[in-house]
Amino acid sequence: MLEEGPFPGSWALAAGVVSWWELRHDFVRVFPDVYLRKGCALDAGGRARAASHWAKGDGVLVGLSAAAMHGTRWLDGDTPAELAREGNCKAPFGIHQIQASIEPSECCEVDGFRVTTPARTAFDIGRRLERDRAVPILDALCAATNIPPRDIADVARHHPRLRGVRRLTEIIPLVDSGAESPPESLTRLLLIDNGLPSPTTQLVVRDRTGQFVARVDTGWADWRVAVEYDGAQHWTDPAQRAKDIDRLAALESLGWRVVRVSATLLYCRPYLVTDRVRAALHAQGATLDE
């Protein structure tokens, strides 16, 4: 019985688990000799596996494909797979092939597929993508693999002449695995870009007896200011809305000020976010450089 993911058609035929008729009528071709059951969709990890099947093990999954294999969330399943190979074999549409040789020490296996290590994966993503796209992905990759940013810096020191290393060195200090979504990462970058102190992610708030009250997205414990990014469910789900009201009241009773951020504020009116955060910090006694 074939699994729901992509598979090499020639292997399935040779193994007798599928017939030519079934292959043509029950499955769709993703890449040459790589098939997927009809009705199934490829996420980023599935697309990476399909690319590796096409290469017949000749190559290493890199970049976003490697990140997906390591369990990184929030990746776009429609983005072409990324594969490093030494040869010049032309890749089909949907696979971005990089002509490169990856050192064995920077490779590992995930579910039987060759991929770059988490640190090398982060290194490649950080030097190739623009900062605001790279940081949310690196936040999620570090969260999924538990690698500290210093491991990425170690790879950068090992490859000082590769393109984009200077950009990467500016990105590494901004990486924080505490972010739980790309908007949370972008909110943090917005605060830092506007001269506010670097906030702490996933702050645990306790009452005077030490009992847990809440965990906030990001903020400053010294001044009791929290910044919370609220996704759509926080505004549209009545049950979630009720929980948020109770949670906010509990935080305010302990002297916390909470600045709530929506998608509209983050992407369309970011100046309101920074103005509100700055005002909250001032009100709580923070001395900020103007």
Side-chain angles (χ1 to χ4, degrees), residues 120-215:
R120 175 59 197 247
T121 301
F123 168 77
D124 288 332
I125 292 171
R127 68 189 179 90
R128 291 173 180 164
L129 300 183
E130 293 299 323
R131 188 201 71 164
D132 284 5
R133 188 177 174 213
V135 170
I137 297 173
L138 296 187
D139 285 354
L141 173 60
C142 289
T145 60
N146 293 318
I147 62 165
R150 65 174 176 273
D151 286 3
I152 310 171
D154 288 342
V155 178
R157 283 190 289 271
H158 187 62
H159 300 285
R161 294 196 175 104
L162 289 186
R163 180 177 297 180
V165 170
R166 180 176 297 179
R167 174 194 298 169
L168 174 68
T169 58
E170 296 173 353
I171 287 176
I172 290 173
L174 301 173
V175 176
D176 190 325
S177 61
E180 294 188 333
S181 70
E184 287 187 22
S185 298
L186 294 177
T187 299
R188 189 180 74 252
L189 291 179
L190 172 65
L191 301 176
I192 295 171
D193 287 346
N194 282 271
L196 294 166
S198 294
T200 300
T201 56
Q202 305 308 317
L203 272 173
V204 173
V205 178
R206 299 183 184 277
D207 64 18
R208 294 171 183 84
T209 66
Q211 295 297 309
F212 176 85
V213 174
R215 181 167 57 90

Side-chain angles (χ1 to χ4, degrees), residues 2 28-29 63 85 101 144 155 186 218:
L2 288 171
V28 294
R29 195 180 80 154
R85 302 178 79 191
S101 176
V155 178
L186 294 177
T218 190

